Amino acid sequence: MTPKLCNTLSIAADGSIGGYNLRQPDGKKKVALALKTLNYKVIAIGDSYNDITMLKAADHAILYRPPHNVEKEYAEIPAVFNYNELKQRILELIRQTK
């Protein structure tokens, strides 16, 4: 059996699993691509290897407080390290698209 990861899980009163949503492979990337098909401009923000496919699928990408190895390996994606830098970068991107 292939292991599956879920992102929500509810437990019923009797202790059984009441419901869950399976985490899709490349789910974040699929969301970014789906938004683009609806003609949205996508600004993606991530911090780890798990987010790279989403960041690359987006129109604009920002690494937010990534580990040094992620920042180094994906130097083409701008990195910011505090909330004010992130806010400023997002505002710059929004102003460019108008």
Side-chain angles (χ1 to χ4, degrees), residues 8-29:
T8 59
L9 180 70
S10 62
I11 306 296
D14 65 357
S16 63
I17 295 174
Y20 61 92
N21 290 322
L22 289 179
R23 190 171 165 192
Q24 298 291 315
D26 284 335
K28 294 175 186 180
K29 175 184 174 183

Side-chain angles (χ1 to χ4, degrees), residues 32 41-47 51-64 74-80 86 89-90 93 96:
K41 295 292 183 189
V42 177
I43 299 172
I45 302 160
D47 66 351
D51 298 326
I52 296 300
T53 59
M54 169 192 63
L55 294 169
K56 289 189 172 200
D59 295 297
H60 303 283
I62 304 169
L63 284 167
Y64 181 59
Y74 296 96
E76 72 275 12
I77 300 173
V80 296
L86 177 62
R89 182 73 181 128
I90 292 169
L93 292 169
Q96 287 176 6

